[in-house]
Amino acid sequence: MFRKHKKDSRSGKCVEADILNQVANEFDIKTEAALKKFLTKHKCSAIQVVRNADKKLLAPCINCVPVVQALGV
């Protein structure tokens, strides 16, 4: 998914990519549709990292936005 939506060279090195990859590998998920269904069923979010004292969620980078949107997470 990240290769398909790649906008710059950082693709695949973000926390969103890492989280989604871990979920897919751990639960042997092979398709975008299956990953979306799993994330929806289990009410998962790929946006969980905070980088400031206010503990605000950060927006995904330009590579992750289309993937996060496609998965609805």
Side-chain angles (χ1 to χ4, degrees):
M1 290 182 74
F2 285 90
R3 278 186 240 125
K4 179 169 69 173
H5 296 293
K6 187 175 180 175
K7 303 284 185 200
D8 71 22
S9 62
R10 293 176 296 171
S11 186
K13 296 179 182 166
C14 296
V15 68
E16 292 88 357
D18 188 44
I19 290 169
L20 293 170
N21 187 51
Q22 287 179 31
V23 168
N25 287 335
E26 184 174 339
F27 295 95
D28 197 32
I29 299 170
K30 303 289 185 194
T31 67
E32 290 179 36
L35 182 57
K36 183 174 183 172
K37 183 177 179 180
F38 178 91
L39 295 171
T40 301
K41 179 180 177 184
H42 296 281
K43 297 181 180 158
C44 297
S45 173
I47 305 170
Q48 307 228 358
V49 172
V50 295
R51 292 188 190 157
N52 56 38
D54 298 335
K55 298 190 177 187
K56 293 181 181 176
L57 297 177
L58 297 176
C61 77
I62 59 172
N63 292 312
C64 294
V65 167
V67 175
V68 169
Q69 289 175 342
L71 293 171
V73 292

